[in-house]
Amino acid sequence: MTEHDRVHWDEKYSGEGSAPHAAPGPPTVFAAYEHLFPTSGHGIDLACGRGMAAVWLAARGLTVHGVDVSPVAVRIARDLAEGSGVGDHCRFDVLDLDLGLPDGPPVDVIVCHLFRDARLDEAVIERLAPGGLLAMAVLSEVDHGPGTFRVARGELRAAFRTLTTLAEGEEGGRAWLLAKA
């Protein structure tokens, strides 16, 4: 990611302020599937932003590592975890995912909301523990048209075809996938 991109995200998160607008929880697209998310083990929240999903997972009983390119977002996420009483179950680091996934053992869940780098797909699959859950939601061309960072129809399912699809959707410029290793 370029320095320009990092500055862009820092400005976005700085402009939103540090107080969350809602309680920690899964990305909205996954709310109806909360029962599929684990309640113990380890997780990663890729491009975690303000840490809403990571803190929600920690409150469910997981130990979570959130990473984002924005130091501002990471600071907000750390503050949210501390304020929510799960700071000891969350670790947040500034990481440029262009350099790959954070090091570590297999995990029980990977959440990735509105970020995708196809170069990481294989690493994401390999990082899931047996039975681990992938929850990915991205921008899509479906009902929107082509654009930067938008996946083509069926791209997520094809990219993660070695996983067992539990639920998926593509509409309104978004595509999402819940799949198990």
PDB file of all heavy atoms in Angstrom, residues 6-23:
ATOM      1  N   ARG A   6      -2.184   5.082   2.985  1.00  0.00           N
ATOM      2  CA  ARG A   6      -2.146   5.091   4.458  1.00  0.00           C
ATOM      3  C   ARG A   6      -2.682   6.433   4.981  1.00  0.00           C
ATOM      4  O   ARG A   6      -3.492   6.472   5.907  1.00  0.00           O
ATOM      5  CB  ARG A   6      -0.724   4.856   4.963  1.00  0.00           C
ATOM      6  CG  ARG A   6      -0.619   4.740   6.464  1.00  0.00           C
ATOM      7  CD  ARG A   6       0.817   4.587   6.952  1.00  0.00           C
ATOM      8  NE  ARG A   6       1.630   3.721   6.161  1.00  0.00           N
ATOM      9  CZ  ARG A   6       1.734   2.396   6.314  1.00  0.00           C
ATOM     10  NH1 ARG A   6       1.038   1.805   7.252  1.00  0.00           N
ATOM     11  NH2 ARG A   6       2.528   1.684   5.549  1.00  0.00           N
ATOM     12  N   VAL A   7      -2.241   7.524   4.361  1.00  0.00           N
ATOM     13  CA  VAL A   7      -2.714   8.850   4.772  1.00  0.00           C
ATOM     14  C   VAL A   7      -4.227   8.961   4.564  1.00  0.00           C
ATOM     15  O   VAL A   7      -4.942   9.489   5.422  1.00  0.00           O
ATOM     16  CB  VAL A   7      -1.951   9.952   4.001  1.00  0.00           C
ATOM     17  CG1 VAL A   7      -2.605  11.316   4.186  1.00  0.00           C
ATOM     18  CG2 VAL A   7      -0.484   9.988   4.442  1.00  0.00           C
ATOM     19  N   HIS A   8      -4.715   8.437   3.435  1.00  0.00           N
ATOM     20  CA  HIS A   8      -6.156   8.458   3.161  1.00  0.00           C
ATOM     21  C   HIS A   8      -6.936   7.786   4.287  1.00  0.00           C
ATOM     22  O   HIS A   8      -7.922   8.329   4.799  1.00  0.00           O
ATOM     23  CB  HIS A   8      -6.452   7.769   1.824  1.00  0.00           C
ATOM     24  CG  HIS A   8      -7.893   7.418   1.640  1.00  0.00           C
ATOM     25  ND1 HIS A   8      -8.851   8.333   1.271  1.00  0.00           N
ATOM     26  CD2 HIS A   8      -8.555   6.233   1.816  1.00  0.00           C
ATOM     27  CE1 HIS A   8     -10.037   7.736   1.217  1.00  0.00           C
ATOM     28  NE2 HIS A   8      -9.875   6.467   1.544  1.00  0.00           N
ATOM     29  N   TRP A   9      -6.516   6.597   4.688  1.00  0.00           N
ATOM     30  CA  TRP A   9      -7.236   5.858   5.731  1.00  0.00           C
ATOM     31  C   TRP A   9      -7.088   6.527   7.087  1.00  0.00           C
ATOM     32  O   TRP A   9      -8.039   6.563   7.872  1.00  0.00           O
ATOM     33  CB  TRP A   9      -6.799   4.395   5.755  1.00  0.00           C
ATOM     34  CG  TRP A   9      -7.331   3.674   4.568  1.00  0.00           C
ATOM     35  CD1 TRP A   9      -6.623   3.205   3.495  1.00  0.00           C
ATOM     36  CD2 TRP A   9      -8.710   3.389   4.288  1.00  0.00           C
ATOM     37  NE1 TRP A   9      -7.476   2.643   2.577  1.00  0.00           N
ATOM     38  CE2 TRP A   9      -8.755   2.747   3.035  1.00  0.00           C
ATOM     39  CE3 TRP A   9      -9.893   3.624   4.968  1.00  0.00           C
ATOM     40  CZ2 TRP A   9      -9.953   2.318   2.461  1.00  0.00           C
ATOM     41  CZ3 TRP A   9     -11.094   3.206   4.393  1.00  0.00           C
ATOM     42  CH2 TRP A   9     -11.105   2.562   3.157  1.00  0.00           C
ATOM     43  N   ASP A  10      -5.909   7.073   7.372  1.00  0.00           N
ATOM     44  CA  ASP A  10      -5.746   7.808   8.633  1.00  0.00           C
ATOM     45  C   ASP A  10      -6.706   8.994   8.689  1.00  0.00           C
ATOM     46  O   ASP A  10      -7.344   9.242   9.717  1.00  0.00           O
ATOM     47  CB  ASP A  10      -4.309   8.308   8.794  1.00  0.00           C
ATOM     48  CG  ASP A  10      -3.361   7.245   9.313  1.00  0.00           C
ATOM     49  OD1 ASP A  10      -3.838   6.187   9.782  1.00  0.00           O
ATOM     50  OD2 ASP A  10      -2.139   7.478   9.254  1.00  0.00           O
ATOM     51  N   GLU A  11      -6.828   9.728   7.585  1.00  0.00           N
ATOM     52  CA  GLU A  11      -7.741  10.877   7.544  1.00  0.00           C
ATOM     53  C   GLU A  11      -9.190  10.430   7.702  1.00  0.00           C
ATOM     54  O   GLU A  11      -9.969  11.072   8.416  1.00  0.00           O
ATOM     55  CB  GLU A  11      -7.562  11.658   6.244  1.00  0.00           C
ATOM     56  CG  GLU A  11      -6.260  12.431   6.196  1.00  0.00           C
ATOM     57  CD  GLU A  11      -5.994  13.095   4.860  1.00  0.00           C
ATOM     58  OE1 GLU A  11      -6.768  12.877   3.886  1.00  0.00           O
ATOM     59  OE2 GLU A  11      -4.999  13.831   4.773  1.00  0.00           O
ATOM     60  N   LYS A  12      -9.547   9.318   7.062  1.00  0.00           N
ATOM     61  CA  LYS A  12     -10.917   8.806   7.186  1.00  0.00           C
ATOM     62  C   LYS A  12     -11.241   8.488   8.643  1.00  0.00           C
ATOM     63  O   LYS A  12     -12.266   8.916   9.174  1.00  0.00           O
ATOM     64  CB  LYS A  12     -11.096   7.556   6.328  1.00  0.00           C
ATOM     65  CG  LYS A  12     -12.491   6.921   6.460  1.00  0.00           C
ATOM     66  CD  LYS A  12     -12.526   5.562   5.792  1.00  0.00           C
ATOM     67  CE  LYS A  12     -13.867   4.894   5.829  1.00  0.00           C
ATOM     68  NZ  LYS A  12     -14.454   4.708   7.133  1.00  0.00           N
ATOM     69  N   TYR A  13     -10.359   7.732   9.294  1.00  0.00           N
ATOM     70  CA  TYR A  13     -10.628   7.341  10.676  1.00  0.00           C
ATOM     71  C   TYR A  13     -10.513   8.519  11.640  1.00  0.00           C
ATOM     72  O   TYR A  13     -11.261   8.592  12.614  1.00  0.00           O
ATOM     73  CB  TYR A  13      -9.727   6.187  11.103  1.00  0.00           C
ATOM     74  CG  TYR A  13     -10.101   4.899  10.407  1.00  0.00           C
ATOM     75  CD1 TYR A  13      -9.242   4.293   9.502  1.00  0.00           C
ATOM     76  CD2 TYR A  13     -11.333   4.311  10.627  1.00  0.00           C
ATOM     77  CE1 TYR A  13      -9.610   3.126   8.840  1.00  0.00           C
ATOM     78  CE2 TYR A  13     -11.711   3.152   9.978  1.00  0.00           C
ATOM     79  CZ  TYR A  13     -10.833   2.560   9.085  1.00  0.00           C
ATOM     80  OH  TYR A  13     -11.210   1.411   8.438  1.00  0.00           O
ATOM     81  N   SER A  14      -9.637   9.460  11.367  1.00  0.00           N
ATOM     82  CA  SER A  14      -9.533  10.654  12.206  1.00  0.00           C
ATOM     83  C   SER A  14     -10.820  11.473  12.125  1.00  0.00           C
ATOM     84  O   SER A  14     -11.286  12.009  13.132  1.00  0.00           O
ATOM     85  CB  SER A  14      -8.354  11.520  11.767  1.00  0.00           C
ATOM     86  OG  SER A  14      -7.140  10.885  12.049  1.00  0.00           O
ATOM     87  N   GLY A  15     -11.386  11.553  10.940  1.00  0.00           N
ATOM     88  CA  GLY A  15     -12.614  12.311  10.738  1.00  0.00           C
ATOM     89  C   GLY A  15     -13.824  11.690  11.403  1.00  0.00           C
ATOM     90  O   GLY A  15     -14.795  12.377  11.724  1.00  0.00           O
ATOM     91  N   GLU A  16     -13.791  10.374  11.616  1.00  0.00           N
ATOM     92  CA  GLU A  16     -14.920   9.688  12.246  1.00  0.00           C
ATOM     93  C   GLU A  16     -14.909   9.816  13.758  1.00  0.00           C
ATOM     94  O   GLU A  16     -15.906   9.535  14.418  1.00  0.00           O
ATOM     95  CB  GLU A  16     -14.906   8.197  11.878  1.00  0.00           C
ATOM     96  CG  GLU A  16     -15.227   7.934  10.424  1.00  0.00           C
ATOM     97  CD  GLU A  16     -15.181   6.450  10.086  1.00  0.00           C
ATOM     98  OE1 GLU A  16     -14.785   5.636  10.949  1.00  0.00           O
ATOM     99  OE2 GLU A  16     -15.530   6.114   8.956  1.00  0.00           O
ATOM    100  N   GLY A  17     -13.780  10.207  14.322  1.00  0.00           N
ATOM    101  CA  GLY A  17     -13.678  10.303  15.777  1.00  0.00           C
ATOM    102  C   GLY A  17     -13.396   8.950  16.403  1.00  0.00           C
ATOM    103  O   GLY A  17     -13.403   7.921  15.735  1.00  0.00           O
ATOM    104  N   SER A  18     -13.163   8.954  17.696  1.00  0.00           N
ATOM    105  CA  SER A  18     -12.763   7.713  18.358  1.00  0.00           C
ATOM    106  C   SER A  18     -13.920   6.934  18.970  1.00  0.00           C
ATOM    107  O   SER A  18     -13.765   5.770  19.284  1.00  0.00           O
ATOM    108  CB  SER A  18     -11.717   8.004  19.428  1.00  0.00           C
ATOM    109  OG  SER A  18     -12.254   8.878  20.388  1.00  0.00           O
ATOM    110  N   ALA A  19     -15.049   7.559  19.154  1.00  0.00           N
ATOM    111  CA  ALA A  19     -16.175   6.839  19.753  1.00  0.00           C
ATOM    112  C   ALA A  19     -16.908   6.036  18.683  1.00  0.00           C
ATOM    113  O   ALA A  19     -17.233   6.566  17.624  1.00  0.00           O
ATOM    114  CB  ALA A  19     -17.133   7.816  20.407  1.00  0.00           C
ATOM    115  N   PRO A  20     -17.175   4.752  18.943  1.00  0.00           N
ATOM    116  CA  PRO A  20     -17.899   3.959  17.945  1.00  0.00           C
ATOM    117  C   PRO A  20     -19.339   4.448  17.801  1.00  0.00           C
ATOM    118  O   PRO A  20     -19.937   4.945  18.749  1.00  0.00           O
ATOM    119  CB  PRO A  20     -17.854   2.539  18.505  1.00  0.00           C
ATOM    120  CG  PRO A  20     -17.562   2.692  19.954  1.00  0.00           C
ATOM    121  CD  PRO A  20     -16.837   3.988  20.133  1.00  0.00           C
ATOM    122  N   HIS A  21     -19.854   4.330  16.586  1.00  0.00           N
ATOM    123  CA  HIS A  21     -21.226   4.743  16.309  1.00  0.00           C
ATOM    124  C   HIS A  21     -22.225   3.648  16.677  1.00  0.00           C
ATOM    125  O   HIS A  21     -23.423   3.891  16.705  1.00  0.00           O
ATOM    126  CB  HIS A  21     -21.382   5.098  14.824  1.00  0.00           C
ATOM    127  CG  HIS A  21     -20.423   6.158  14.388  1.00  0.00           C
ATOM    128  ND1 HIS A  21     -20.381   7.404  14.959  1.00  0.00           N
ATOM    129  CD2 HIS A  21     -19.456   6.153  13.439  1.00  0.00           C
ATOM    130  CE1 HIS A  21     -19.442   8.126  14.384  1.00  0.00           C
ATOM    131  NE2 HIS A  21     -18.867   7.402  13.471  1.00  0.00           N
ATOM    132  N   ALA A  22     -21.751   2.457  16.916  1.00  0.00           N
ATOM    133  CA  ALA A  22     -22.603   1.316  17.255  1.00  0.00           C
ATOM    134  C   ALA A  22     -21.809   0.387  18.171  1.00  0.00           C
ATOM    135  O   ALA A  22     -20.599   0.525  18.308  1.00  0.00           O
ATOM    136  CB  ALA A  22     -23.022   0.578  15.988  1.00  0.00           C
ATOM    137  N   ALA A  23     -22.493  -0.553  18.758  1.00  0.00           N
ATOM    138  CA  ALA A  23     -21.825  -1.538  19.601  1.00  0.00           C
ATOM    139  C   ALA A  23     -20.993  -2.468  18.732  1.00  0.00           C
ATOM    140  O   ALA A  23     -21.330  -2.707  17.573  1.00  0.00           O
ATOM    141  CB  ALA A  23     -22.863  -2.338  20.383  1.00  0.00           C
TER     142      ALA A  23
END
